[in-house]
Amino acid sequence: MDVDAYVAAHNPDWNRLEHLINRGRKLTGAEADELVELYQRTATHLSVVRSSSPDPELVGRLSSLVARGRAAVAGARAPMWKDASRFATVTFPAVAYRLKWWWLGNAVLGNLLALALAIWVVQNPEVQASVGAPDEIRRLVEEDFANYYTEHSAGSFAFQVWINNAWVSAVAIIFGILLGIPTVYVLLLNQANLGLTAGLMFAHGKGDIFFGLILPHGLLELTAVYLAVAGGLKLGWTIIDPGRRTRGQALAEEGRAAMSIAVGLVAVLFLSGLIEGFVTGWVHVTWLRVGIGVVAEVAFLTYVLVLGRRATRKGETGDAELRPDLAPVAG
């Protein structure tokens, strides 16, 4: 190796790294990222020099620089707001966009199932009778269904709904590891409840009330459930078919992506919970409350399509960046 040429080629990087180290905690977020990158690069340079050159002075210089860089990297992490911003604008929309056909498929098949069940209930009085006594069903369609959204304070109800839906979504994702079988059960149970309730409401001439109260929050809430189920099913399918990756690598990557979905849906379901708690039962103009739900749904879909497509085109997959900062890279 031509030592002089090697030094000439990489000396600007070493000088820049030393400058950033000397600045200590005064680094900006971009400079902190640059520090990590230059440290990794210099660590690789040190390995090359040690194996190719007997120059003790150069080895000593780079060893000292790498040691100081390691100490600086340990305390030069990017600000938390930057991590949160990246998650919201890159990681979550990327994984949601990458799985778009999975959750679109869930939505289509799930709603066809709910529709078929609703039609079956409407057309078969004996099925309605098997659900409950006539007075119980009458009370459900005339009072309980609507009162459900107002019997508790808006804030308390929104919180309870948020926690419940977040838990259901987490179960759908986490138990995807069991080949997605429990995840399918979550989807079937959710759609069965939807179809049964719709069937009973329509059978008693309350279809307008059903849609008027379900659509405001249900559009976004069901979309979140379909996305959670998509994450769980993708995780389960990865066990069966890891593709070109090893099964362990594929599971690790899809597992981290699934956790990105779970974290992102906390915010999405919080918004749908607010709509259910403060809009569904309390805004008495039907077109207005349904309109609020439509706006929220369109905003979420636009967010995923625009930011998610942009991120995936840059190679993002939604896999959380958990690789250690200290691993040197070639450069």
Side-chain angles (χ1 to χ4, degrees):
M1 181 182 71
D2 187 335
V3 176
D4 292 336
Y6 196 80
V7 171
H10 298 294
N11 198 50
D13 286 343
W14 302 339
N15 290 336
R16 176 61 176 167
L17 175 59
E18 186 166 17
H19 171 73
L20 294 175
I21 292 172
N22 291 335
R23 288 198 58 191
R25 296 185 177 276
K26 297 180 181 179
L27 299 177
T28 64
E31 288 174 332
D33 291 341
E34 184 183 7
L35 170 63
V36 172
E37 181 182 352
L38 288 174
Y39 159 71
Q40 295 172 335
R41 193 178 302 170
T42 303
T44 300
H45 296 163
L46 175 59
S47 298
V48 172
V49 169
R50 277 177 170 165
S51 62
S52 306
S53 171
D55 188 337
E57 183 177 349
L58 181 57
V59 171
R61 177 192 175 191
L62 293 183
S63 296
S64 174
L65 195 57
V66 168
R68 293 171 59 203
R70 183 182 299 111
V73 165
R77 303 303 298 271
M80 184 178 294
W81 66 264
K82 185 175 181 181
D83 291 335
S85 175
R86 174 177 170 75
F87 179 85
T89 59
V90 176
T91 305
F92 177 60
V95 68
Y97 183 81
R98 181 167 63 87
L99 298 181
K100 58 184 180 297
W101 298 119
W102 288 78
W103 50 286
L104 179 60
N106 292 332
V108 172
L109 294 177
N111 282 293
L112 285 177
L113 172 64
L115 176 62
L117 179 58
I119 293 174
W120 185 51
V121 171
V122 169
Q123 294 181 345
N124 292 274
E126 63 274 15
V127 175
Q128 301 172 32
S130 69
V131 174
D135 58 329
E136 293 176 334
I137 295 177
R138 187 177 303 106
R139 186 167 60 250
L140 168 67
V141 299
E142 294 181 357
E143 300 176 15
D144 293 350
F145 183 76
N147 291 343
Y148 170 75
Y149 299 101
T150 57
E151 60 186 358
H152 300 290
S153 67
S156 174
F157 182 59
F159 180 77
Q160 292 175 16
V161 167
W162 176 42
I163 295 300
N164 178 72
N165 290 336
W167 172 250
V168 170
S169 297
V171 167
I173 293 172
I174 294 170
F175 284 99
I177 198 69
L178 299 178
L179 300 181
I181 295 173
T183 303
V184 173
Y185 174 76
V186 169
L187 177 63
L188 293 178
L189 182 62
N190 187 77
Q191 298 306 119
N193 287 334
L194 181 66
L196 177 61
T197 304
L200 292 175
M201 294 292 288
F202 271 88
H204 291 78
K206 303 292 184 179
D208 56 336
I209 295 177
F210 173 79
F211 279 122
L213 292 175
I214 283 291
L215 291 178
H217 63 275
L219 289 172
L220 188 59
E221 181 182 298
L222 287 172
T223 299
V225 171
Y226 299 144
L227 178 53
V229 170
L233 291 178
K234 184 64 167 66
L235 187 60
W237 182 252
T238 299
I239 300 175
I240 300 172
D241 181 15
R244 296 182 179 180
R245 302 167 292 181
T246 65
R247 185 166 278 103
Q249 177 188 4
L251 277 175
E253 292 176 358
E254 294 300 336
R256 292 191 294 265
M259 289 304 99
S260 295
I261 294 176
V263 173
L265 288 184
V266 169
V268 177
L269 290 170
F270 179 72
L271 177 57
S272 72
L274 289 179
I275 295 174
E276 188 167 358
F278 290 90
V279 174
T280 299
W282 301 98
V283 175
H284 301 299
V285 180
T286 302
W287 68 263
L288 178 58
R289 64 173 180 266
V290 172
I292 292 173
V294 170
V295 168
E297 174 73 356
V298 170
F300 176 69
L301 294 179
T302 302
Y303 159 77
V304 170
L305 290 174
V306 173
L307 297 185
R309 180 165 51 191
R310 179 189 304 167
T312 53
R313 284 179 175 176
K314 294 180 179 179
E316 299 287 345
T317 64
D319 180 6
E321 295 187 348
L322 300 176
R323 297 177 297 275
D325 288 339
L326 303 184
V329 296

